[in-house]
Amino acid sequence: MRTVATFESGKFNLTEHKDYFINEGCYGDDLGKWLISQLRAAGAETDSEPGQEDFGWYVNYTIGSQPFCAVIGNVGGEFWFVAVERATGFLGSVFGGRNRNVPESGVMQLHQLLSSSPDVKNLKWHHWEKFKKGGENAFSSGSSKPNAP
């Protein structure tokens, strides 16, 4: 299953640095808030606000009883990415469990939200390992569906 979405959008801030950003260019807080509102409207439980890391932002959400984490970032001011991970806790994270066997329900929920938004353009889904290796070139490959081979 492809678990990393990339897309273009003019809706979210890529130019205005906020005082609360951990690092320069740590954009994505407004995308995180938008995801929270969309996930809640679809019936998911979410954090009240997006969390911030040094690389970007994240949103924890639950579909049924399965917890997920949507990791949000921007590559070169050109495109956004949202990586769907399993919420595994500290030890699971240390041993790489966040990106293995991600349940389809969490990915498909984000696919539905992103693909139905008029503000999201050129949505593509990627396998985590290929995206991680591809960096800025990752946007040129991918599939429009997360469950493509």
Side-chain angles (χ1 to χ4, degrees), residues 22-76:
I22 291 175
N23 289 321
E24 186 71 29
C26 197
Y27 303 109
D29 58 325
D30 53 346
L31 173 53
K33 289 175 185 177
W34 179 83
L35 282 176
I36 287 171
S37 72
Q38 298 300 304
L39 285 162
R40 285 184 175 179
E45 295 179 30
T46 71
D47 290 341
S48 58
E49 293 287 325
Q52 186 176 186
E53 291 286 346
D54 58 349
F55 61 85
W57 296 81
Y58 64 92
V59 171
N60 291 307
Y61 64 103
T62 303
I63 305 292
S65 62
Q66 182 66 52
F68 297 92
C69 183
V71 178
I72 301 163
N74 184 269
V75 178

Side-chain angles (χ1 to χ4, degrees), residues 53-121:
E53 291 286 346
D54 58 349
F55 61 85
W57 296 81
Y58 64 92
V59 171
N60 291 307
Y61 64 103
T62 303
I63 305 292
S65 62
Q66 182 66 52
F68 297 92
C69 183
V71 178
I72 301 163
N74 184 269
V75 178
E78 294 181 28
F79 65 91
W80 293 99
F81 71 85
V82 178
V84 181
E85 299 180 340
R86 289 187 316 135
T88 61
F90 178 72
L91 278 180
S93 182
V94 168
F95 292 107
R98 297 180 66 88
N99 296 308
R100 283 196 306 262
N101 302 318
V102 176
E104 187 174 348
S105 60
V107 176
M108 295 310 290
Q109 182 66 66
L110 276 194
H111 177 68
Q112 175 62 32
L113 298 176
L114 294 170
S115 64
S116 65
S117 173
D119 296 311
V120 171
K121 307 289 185 222

